[in-house]
Every structure is written in C-alpha cells, then in structure tokens.
Amino acid sequence: MSEGASRVLTYREAVREALSLELENDPDVFVMGEDIGQYGGVFKVTDGLLARFGPLRILDTPISEAAFVGAAVGAAMTGKRPVVELMFMDFALVAADQLLNQAAKMQFLSGDQFRVPLTIRTQQGVGSGTAAQHSQSLEALFMHLPGFAVALPSSPADAKGLLASAIRADHPTIVIEHKALYGTKGEVPEGIYRTPFGQAALRRPGSDVTIASYSRTVHVALAAAETLAAEGIEAEVIDLRTLVPLDYDTVLDSVGRTGRLVVAHEGHRNAGAGAEIAARVSELAWHALRAPVRRVCGLDIPVPYAAPLEAAWLPSSEAIARGVRESLGSATSPQAA
Amino acid sequence: MSEGASRVLTYREAVREALSLELENDPDVFVMGEDIGQYGGVFKVTDGLLARFGPLRILDTPISEAAFVGAAVGAAMTGKRPVVELMFMDFALVAADQLLNQAAKMQFLSGDQFRVPLTIRTQQGVGSGTAAQHSQSLEALFMHLPGFAVALPSSPADAKGLLASAIRADHPTIVIEHKALYGTKGEVPEGIYRTPFGQAALRRPGSDVTIASYSRTVHVALAAAETLAAEGIEAEVIDLRTLVPLDYDTVLDSVGRTGRLVVAHEGHRNAGAGAEIAARVSELAWHALRAPVRRVCGLDIPVPYAAPLEAAWLPSSEAIARGVRESLGSATSPQAA
Amino acid sequence: METHVADLGAVELATYTSLLGIRGFEEHAQDLFSRSLIRGSTHLGIGQEAVAVGARLASRPGDLVVPTYRGHAYALAWGMTFDAAFGELLGRVTGCNSGRGGSKHFADREKGVLPGNAIVAAGLPIGCGTALADRLVGRDRVTIVPFGDGATNQAAFHEALNLAAIWSLPVVFLCENNLYGEMTPLHRTVRIERLADRGAAYGMPGVQADGMDVNAVASVLSEAVERARPGGGPTLVEALTYRFCGHMPGDTEPYRTREEVDEWRARDPITSQRKAARRAGVGESEIRDLETAVAAALDAAEAAAIAAPPPEIADIGLGATEWMEWER
Amino acid sequence: METHVADLGAVELATYTSLLGIRGFEEHAQDLFSRSLIRGSTHLGIGQEAVAVGARLASRPGDLVVPTYRGHAYALAWGMTFDAAFGELLGRVTGCNSGRGGSKHFADREKGVLPGNAIVAAGLPIGCGTALADRLVGRDRVTIVPFGDGATNQAAFHEALNLAAIWSLPVVFLCENNLYGEMTPLHRTVRIERLADRGAAYGMPGVQADGMDVNAVASVLSEAVERARPGGGPTLVEALTYRFCGHMPGDTEPYRTREEVDEWRARDPITSQRKAARRAGVGESEIRDLETAVAAALDAAEAAAIAAPPPEIADIGLGATEWMEWER
Ligand SMILES: Cc1ncc(C[n+]2csc(CCOP(=O)(O)OP(=O)(O)O)c2C)c(N)n1
Ligand SMILES: Cc1ncc(C[n+]2csc(CCOP(=O)(O)OP(=O)(O)O)c2C)c(N)n1
Ligand SMILES: [Mg+2]
Ligand SMILES: [Mg+2]
C-alpha cells in the first residue's frame, strides 16, 4: 500500500494531503462545499487549498446542498471528478434525492451510457455534544441503496489512501470521516497511494473472538481488546475500512479461526451495517460460528446532548467487552446439535 | 380486530374507508398531498374525499414535498393529526430532512415537550415498468433511523386497520402501501377498527419452515408455499405487517417449531429489513435454528425497466421456493456441534 | 442571420420534419400504450413540440439537454433515432438505454441528451453541473434544462437557479408552462402571474416566449443561449404552451374544459409550421412526400422495435457499478 | 397606540431589560464555552438581539416562534427562564429540553417556542405547519419564523414561502440578514441587493427593517403580524443586523475586517435602548439597579445550572416514542 517515506500526520492533514495530491495529479478534480475555500472548512480540512489551487478548483458554495451535490453529479457525468464536502453527514438528508435517486442510479438507468465519478467527503458521528441533528451515522443508507461505494477510514493513513481511491473511482463514492478523529495522529506515507476498497485491515490478531468494526469504533474496539486481554481473552480486531464493497473474506477467515463475531459501530443497530454483517456471516460461516453474532452499536434512539446520556448512547469499550464476554459465555452450539 | 359485518373491498377502497372514517371521527385529522383533492389521487385512493370533507380537510398541495411534509410536522406538533400522501415512496428522498431529521427527532430533542402525531401514507414497489426512480422500496431507511413506526399492509383489511392505528398514534408513522396491490380484493370489516402495530399475522400454518414477509411479497410467499406443498414441504407464512415495532415473538415462536427461516421482501437485500430480522432471529433463536436464515429480496441494483429484467429483479415465488429448499437442504447444525 | 429564399424553404421544412417526427412518435406511443406494449406510464408532449424543436434550433451541435420524464421531444430533436427511441419505449435491447430506463429516462450520450429525469426538478442541479464542467474546462457549450411549471415550486428549482446565477453558468432554464402540474392548475399553486418573474429572485433575466410558435421559442432562446455561452449567465425562459393529451394515459382530465383544449389545439404548432413551410415556398407535394416518408420511418422503426429482443437476463448487471452484486 | 409618558419609560425599560438579559445570557454562554462547560458548539446572537426582542414586541402572547440553532434570544424573549436556558446549555435535567437538545434546540412548549432547528431553513416548513394548524382550527395566532440570510438559498425556504403565500398562512418569515452565512459573505452567494425582494417570487410582500433598532423591527413586524393574523397572508421581513461575535466559538473571522465590526458595534442595540429608556424619562439609578438585578439573576441562574444534576442515564428514553427500543 505505501511507498517510500512516511511521517506522522493528523487525520485532518492526511485528508488534505490526498486532496492536494489528486488536485495536482488531475485537472478534472475539483472540490466544492460550504466554507471550504477562504475559511478552509469548518473542520479546517481544506485549509490552504484555495490559495494553492485557486477558485476554479476550490469552490465555495451557497447553503444549497441539493444544488451543489446535483451540480457535482452533472459535472461528473460529463467528465469531471468532483469532490464534494458535505459539512455534516446529517445534511445528506437535504440532498438525498441527488445522492440516492440521481448519482446512485444514473449509470444504471442510462444503460451504462453515463458514469458518475463523484466523491462525497463528509464527517459524521458523535463528537462532543453535537446532539440529534449533527451526530448521526448514516452509512447504512448508502449501504442499502446500491450506487455508492462507502469508506469509513479509522486512521490518517486510510483517510488519505481511501479518499485517493475514491477520487479515482469511476463510480460514486462516499468517504465518511469521523469528527472525533480529525485530531488523531498516525504514520502516513508520502506521495500518492490508493488504499483499495474492499480490503479490510487486521488491526490486532487474536484467537478467541473476532471484533469487526470501522471508523472511530475501531479504536474503541482496540481498547476493549486490551481490557479483555487482561482477562485472558484474545480478541482479533478487524477494521473493515469499506462497507461497500465489504471484505467478507477477511471476516470469514477470522471467524473460521475464532468461531465468534462481535460487530461494533456507532450507527443505530436496527437495520444497520451490523445487521447485514451478522446476517451474511451467519449464513456464510454457519458451521464455524460457535455463538450468535453480537452487535454493539449506537442506541436506537436519537443522540442526546447531555454528556452522560451521550456516553451511554455510544458503544463504549466496556459495552464491546461485555458483548465479547457474552459471546464467549453463550452456548457454543445450537440445540439441534 | 374486526366487529360486525364485512364486505369485499379493494385495497384502494379500504385505504379510502380508513381515511373517511378517521376524518369523520376526529376534526383534527386532515389529508394533504399532490393531486389528492379534485383528482382523487393518481392512484385514486382519495377519490371523493374533497367533495365530502371540503378543502379545509383535503388539501391539494404544490409539488413541494419538503414544504408540505414539514408543514405536517408543524401542524402535528401543535395538535393536528395530518395524513400526508407522498405520491411515490421515491419522493421521500426530496423530503428526507423533514421526515428523518425533523419528524423523527422532535419529540426526543425537545425533551418530550412536542409530539408529532403525523401519518405518512405512500406507495412503493415494483408495479409494471415504473423503473429506477419510481419503484423503490425504502422501508429500511425508516426502520434504521428511529422515529417512525412502519407498516406495510398486504391485504385490504390491514390497509384499513393499520392506517387507522397510524392516524391515532401519537408518534410519526408511515404506512407504505404497494402500488401493485391497489386493485386486489379482500374482506374488510365495516366501521372503525384499528389493527395494532407490532402484531404479525399467520397467513398459512406450516411445520417445516417459516417464511417471514410483508407487503406484496406475502402473496408471493404464499404462492411459493403452494408450490412447496406440492413437494411435501409445509411452509408457515408470517405477514409481519409492521417493521417498527416488529413482532419478534410470533417469528420466534414459529421458528421454535420449524427451525428454519426465510425472509422475503422486495427491498434491496443489503442492510435491508431482512438483514435485521436475520441478525435478530439468529441471536434470539440460535438454539432453535437448524439452518442459517436465508433472505430472498430485490436485487442489489436499481430496478430495471424491461419486463424480463424487472421480473428477474423481483423476489419471485420460484426464488422464494428455492430459498426454502436451500434452507431445508443445508446442513442442520454448526460444525462445532 | 441572413437566409436566402430558397434556404428559407429548406429551413422551414427541416423544422416541420422535426416537429412532425416528434408528434408522430408521441402518437405511436399513445397507441403502443393502449396496446399494453409500453409498461409503467408514459408522459407525452403532444402540443408542446415547438418548445423542444425551438430549443434545438437555438442551440449548436454539441450543446446539451437535460430533459424530464416528458422528454421524448428533446431526445428526438437532439437527434436520437426513432429506432433507439421506440426500442427504449418497448424495453428492447435496441433502446437508447438498452431497455433499462423506459419512457421516462431516454438518454443519448453521443447526441448530448442526458437521461430524462423522473424526479420533478432534479434535472436543474444536474444541468448546473454540466454547465459548471464546461465553465471550468473553458468549453464553449451550453446546457438547456427543460422542466414544467409545477417544477418551479420544487426545492431544487430554487437552489439551482441561484447557483447558476452566482456562478454565471452557461445554462438556460426552460420552463414549459403548460398550465398544469399533473392535474393541478398552476394558479392554485403559485400566486404570481408570470413564472418568468421568478428569475428576478436570483438576479437572472426572466423572459416569456410563445411556446406554440417554434420560431418565437427559437428566437427568445437564441438570445438566452448566446448570452450564456460566453459567460453572460443563465436565463429563465418561460414558454407558454399546452399539452393536448392527458398528463399520462388514463388521465380523465376533470381539471380542464373541452373548450380550453380546443382553443389551444387551434394553435397546433405542427399545423402552423406546415403553413410556414408552404409560405416559404415549399410545394404541397414536397410536403406530402415528406409526411409520407416520416410516417413510413416511424412505422418501420416501431415494427423493428416490436421485433427486437428484450435484454438478456444474464445482462441484468449492465450499468451496475463495479461493486454492486446482483446474485440472489 | 397611545402611550403616556410615564408608561413610555416603563415600556422602554422593559425592552431594555429583555435586551440586556439576552445579551448577558449570550456573554455567559461565551464564558461557559471557554470554560468547556458547554459541549459541541454554541451559536450566539450578540449584536442581533433587537430582532428577537422586536419580534416579541410585535407579537401577542400565545404567538409562536420557530427559532434556529442561533435561537437563545427568541427563547428568552418569549419568556423562557434563565434557569431553563442555562440548564439546557449545560445539559442539565433542569434545562428546557431536560438536557436532551443543548444550545441549538431550546424549546419551551408553554411559552410557544418550538425547538430550535439545527438544519438550515428546516424551520420554515414547520412554521408553515403551525400556521396551517391555526388556520384550519380558526385560531387567532401567528407564527414567526426567524432564519439567516444564508438560509434564503436553501431549498426549504423556497417551498415554504410559496406554500405560505398560496394558502395565506398566518406566518411571518423573519430573515436576520447578518451579512454572512457562517463564514461566507452574502454577496458571494446571491446576486441581488435586497433579500426582501425574494418575496416577489411568491407574490408576497418583502420589507426591510433596521435590525439594530428594536422599535424599527417591532413596527415593521407589527404590520406583518397583523396582516397575517386575520388571513392577510405572510410577509418576508429582512432585518439588517450583524453579529458582533463569531459564527461559533473558534471562528477566526478572516472574512471580515475589524473596521466593519466596529462600525456595527457603534450601533449596538443595547446601548441605544439604554439611551432610549433614559430619554423616556427613566433615571440613571433606576437603570443601574436594573442592570445589577439582571446581572445577579444571570449569575444566580448560571450557578444553579452548574449545580444542577445531569439527566439520569436510566432516563435516557425520555422523549423516545413508544416503539423505540434502547437496551443495548
Ligand atoms: C419530486 C416529485 N414529486 C412529484 C412527482 C410526480 N409528478 C410527476 S410529473 C408531475 C407534474 C409536474 O408538473 P410540471 O412541472 O408542470 O410538468 P409537466 O408534467 O406539466 O410537464 C408530478 C407531480 C415527481 N415525479 N417528483
Ligand atoms: C442544511 C444545512 N447546511 C449547512 C449547515 C451548517 N450551517 C450551520 S449555520 C450555517 C450558516 C447559516 O447562515 P445564515 O442562514 O446566514 O444564518 P446565521 O448563522 O448567519 O444566523 C451553516 C451553513 C446546516 N446546519 N444545515
Ligand atoms: Mg406543467
Ligand atoms: Mg447569516
């Protein structure tokens, strides 16, 4: 995946670097969004890009998500590679038609005449107190309706590499960053590299149970694994990195060894990404599973503001550890056995 | 559930009867939507209501879904019981913010100060050739994001009774009709009755396998059950009727007897309603299940126009029967056993 | 624009041919629908043909159009073949979208026709985008985006017009005001007299054109197109027109009177254009021959489409992205 | 409206009290944020207070308001207690929303304050709905919906204004034009001079008001409110105002100059209203006493909120609908 030297960057800087490199690399790439130019984005991800690439590559938009997402769809259909920043994932719901009825379907309904090499970059999740309309995790919507490839990087290196891949893809992609990760740091290779979609990363080897996760929850899962290790339980932690396509091979391989799977993510549980993973793995690894797949997710209510409620709403490392313990404690085989 | 006499009505007539009765019953109920007044709705569901209830109860709107759904949210927050017709479920995506960021969250984020007794009535699914932007099944979106109760009636009696329940609920509800069912007929009790949410209906008893379904696919599943019966396989067919809340008790009871579950629906498979049902039942009925839960769903691509493609896209009775056979043929217990 | 007299005849005849082909196609579609050969629904533009043909006359080869579900006229005016159009209507592999889209979604990449859009007003932001791409690249191309009167009440209309205005995008917004949004009369859904006046909210010129007169449409649109092309910004053009047919098959039309329809029918753009061609010196027999030829071409294309095969089920994944999966 | 001289002093003093309380609350919020006691973000209206207070003056008890995320001023002007407001800011069980919403979502059902909305322009359709309910019931109530200049480019603005216009809903759309949408200057996102002119696209009156002058706001709004109340239809009011603080904590304000801010600060509505009270005959010491009292009330409420408990985790389901499940 990486080539040459690397250095420590923040997740934010890594995203910016991917944008810069792709902007340099391909004149058809341009970036659009609210307050991304002069101000450099409310999360400061695009800071400096306007000065460097000018107003024909870095476009500040009005507060008109449907229009600028739609404009990106049109531009993509005629040869450009727009990268749109949706300031908060929650705002996807004011542009949902352009995203899910238009971008997602144009290639198919045109009988393969038009492709839509559009990248949506956004951030989601619980930060600290952003409450019900600014904290949602909406990846499951993009997973359910076919059309977008969906990436949720957990590390600076992936934030760069997955975005670079997304921009080069000939299809709609959505790269969902996490607001609580922007300041986190990690080694990031220099230069252009593209982390392939559909390849999960093993973040921690372990033999007793598999934890599949993505985005910020990977770090929570790793913390849970530490707690569990102290109890003598070795959890394998898989970072799925992309949900569409989803690397079932890696998950199944791990479950083949551990016999147990816990899926952890911040999105709601009901009909969320974890439901699909649980359903699919139960089907494909039926013989290997020694306990039902457990899910540890955001609660199935809106995100509350007050700190203790928000904390209780989130899948904590304690909740994930509990899920693992339950998985290990529960009956190891069906009644029928 | 029913009282007194009943007669045969179409699904369309049954919906209209529920609307009429609730409009008579409660002056706070009013109906809003595009072409629902003078024209009686493009599916003729609201035919005659304007003449009977007048323009203060039956409101023709401009083509402004975000505004009239939002207006219904506001009206519901201040004491009315609006019933909004969204002409096609696909148009929920132009009103997604009002539906999922607003209606779904107002009660929670206000700390229980405001309730939203709003009913959305819409129709979805594959009819004949309505193609990618007019054939979608979007129930999973409303299942995933908490806030709406979700009903998908398969029969005229339920179309009436579930809508009546929805209108009386103090929370947002969405009643999703199926465009291909409007002309179907069935016994419908007279007068007001309210089919409770969260109570599945056993449509066909059987001992070998459980098929859980809803909306139009219930009929497809029943046809599959006939085919299977001829082969000596007795399938129990459950009509879930509502997905939020979902009557897991009935499903688990059945699976406790059959040991096998096939979920069939028209929505996409990936992270769809069936994923949740499969995940939940696998967890709760782990010991009872003798084979992994199978899903037979709409394909994970947009809906194509051409007749043979559309037919291939749909979960046919043959596909459901195949799913059942696979369930019966697959290994009966995990490897670990 | 100077035109010699002989040329004028040819020009008027070409326009007539275009109008006639579209009208004929729509009438064939009506018939095919009544024979249950078209699935779903079909939204015809009988009576409104002058707007699409006028738009084509006002634009240059290579200019783009982003039609709606009522988009056959634009596809054909932009040069789509009858074969491709009938094939799509009937869900054949020979269709412009290989049978994947049907009546609402006619597209022709080579001819500059984006997919017809079945979500009201959704094409407007997309048209901003094709125009934006052209502006960024410095390409000398204009995008025309037709839509209905009812669409001017839809959210996307507002955002798109504003975006196009502030960025001076080379796009023309072409409102086909046929007085009704489906079955609802316009006067019940807006409080202003002229939809063209909505342009002012964006600092954009708004002009009306007689949508029953192909040359009137062409001349008003030419101005808009040629202002847009060099960066002069977008225009909202309101073409006053009328559909003689229902909104869709089965429309019982309780919302309008026979008299109203007849009044508009008296201004049938096909009839007027036939007269214009005659006035320009084209002989009656030349016109007759042309009419026969167009009718024959339509019949032949329809027959070919009826005979053409539907897509293979094995090809159901055509147009799926590389990460979609469609096994059951 | 006749007012006796003595009354006038009382009236101006009451207005000053309201403005002062709001300003003080916002300054406390700034301080609390810098002490990390407020989570997420907080959007203050320092400088814009005259608009909210003017709106309250123009409306009757019982009239509704549908604020945005920048909504503290409206909640307080409508009578929310400092205790409820500080409690919510700090996520306490004593907060107006029992700590569930935070700064962006202040709501007070009893006082007629709908939840502040954190989606730009989403409150406009909702305000149409409260007005629609009133119209259907025949209730004599008006809804005021404040929003920003940037919000006029958002889809929902368009649909809501049109809907309100065609149905003559008793609603007033109150645009707080503070020249910036977040960090983007208005002139880069619209091409017209006066946002009030956007009313014309809906056949709705559009008027401007000096948003730094509480009485100017009140008088322009009174007219709009009293037109709306008996069914005369909605109005778009554009209040020209300015926020002295950043869009949110951490806003580095590269988009405007110190001079610009100072020019507007010279028109501080609090200072002006203090002078107005003095001119109306209120004594300096009376004003001083009042200022002390307001400051003390704010301090006390802040302290009470800091001391108040957060919600119990066991109560996390407050406000969940009957069919939500929230066990893990
Ligand atoms: C967002 C959305 N809402 C509703 C519809 C259903 N619909 C299809 S055509 C139509 C009428 C559109 O009227 P107008 O814009 O005047 O165009 P016309 O059909 O008259 O050409 C409606 C409401 C839709 N396709 N999309
Ligand atoms: C639909 C949507 N898009 C973007 C945002 C992010 N956002 C929050 S406030 C704001 C600026 C709004 O500007 P304006 O309407 O002028 O109001 P002001 O904040 O100046 O009071 C933006 C873009 C949002 N909350 N909702
Ligand atoms: Mg129309
Ligand atoms: Mg502003």
Side-chain angles (χ1 to χ4, degrees), chain D residues 149-150 176 178 180-181:
Chain D
D149 47 291
E176 296 189 301
N178 63 8
Y180 299 90

Side-chain angles (χ1 to χ4, degrees), chain A residues 34 63 65 91, chain D residues 69-70 118 120 148-151 178 180-182 247:
Chain A
E34 291 161 7
I63 311 173
E65 286 84 357
F91 310 159
Chain D
Y69 51 90
R70 201 183 300 288
V120 166
D149 47 291
N178 63 8
Y180 299 90
E182 286 200 347
H247 166 72

Side-chain angles (χ1 to χ4, degrees), chain B residues 226-311:
Chain B
E226 288 305 308
T227 307
L228 291 163
E231 301 170 18
I233 300 170
E234 287 303 327
E236 180 145 304
V237 178
I238 294 174
D239 180 352
L240 296 168
R241 305 207 280 198
T242 65
L243 292 178
V244 180
L246 200 152
D247 180 4
Y248 284 105
D249 288 346
T250 295
V251 178
L252 291 170
D253 175 68
S254 176
V255 170
R257 288 182 281 102
T258 64
R260 296 169 200 278
L261 176 63
V262 173
V263 187
H265 60 63
E266 231 183 274
H268 299 294
R269 180 177 62 175
N270 205 32
E276 180 61 34
I277 297 165
R280 193 89 63 115
V281 171
S282 296
E283 198 165 347
L284 299 176
W286 184 246
H287 293 291
L289 279 176
R290 301 153 75 104
V293 179
R294 309 231 158 224
R295 291 175 286 159
V296 184
C297 309
L299 297 186
D300 284 331
I301 51 176
V303 179
Y305 168 68
L309 300 184
E310 191 191 63

Side-chain angles (χ1 to χ4, degrees), chain C residues 148-150 176-182:
Chain C
D149 47 291
E176 296 189 302
N177 181 353
N178 63 7
L179 298 179
Y180 299 89
E182 285 200 348

Side-chain angles (χ1 to χ4, degrees), chain A residues 22-23 25-30 57 79-83, chain C residues 136-137:
Chain A
E22 298 298 334
L23 281 158
N25 179 53
D26 181 351
D28 282 329
V29 174
F30 69 98
R57 308 291 301 284
K80 304 296 285 183
R81 292 192 176 274
V83 182
Chain C
L136 295 178
V137 171

Side-chain angles (χ1 to χ4, degrees), chain A residues 34-35 63-65 87-88 91 94 134, chain B residues 97, chain D residues 43 48 68-70 117-121 147-152 154 176-183 243 247:
Chain A
E34 291 161 7
D35 295 308
I63 311 173
S64 308
E65 286 84 357
M87 194 188 290
F88 282 73
F91 310 159
V94 296
H134 279 62
Chain B
D97 173 63
Chain D
H43 301 84
Q48 305 186 188
T68 70
Y69 51 90
R70 201 183 300 288
N117 209 309
I119 303 296
V120 166
F147 52 89
D149 47 291
T152 68
Q154 176 69 215
E176 296 189 301
N177 181 354
N178 63 8
L179 297 179
Y180 299 90
E182 286 200 347
M183 297 77 182
R243 61 171 158 68
H247 166 72

Side-chain angles (χ1 to χ4, degrees), chain C residues 174-228:
Chain C
L174 175 53
C175 179
E176 296 189 302
N177 181 353
N178 63 7
L179 298 179
Y180 299 89
E182 285 200 348
M183 297 77 182
T184 300
L186 178 63
H187 66 81
R188 293 194 51 210
T189 65
V190 303
R191 269 232 154 164
I192 54 171
E193 291 303 316
R194 289 161 38 103
L195 291 176
D197 291 345
R198 290 197 155 170
Y202 315 101
M204 183 189 301
V207 288
Q208 285 188 327
D210 178 354
M212 304 308 274
D213 177 341
V214 67
N215 293 313
V217 172
S219 103
V220 170
L221 268 178
S222 286
E223 203 177 303
V225 167
E226 294 317 323
R227 172 164 55 239

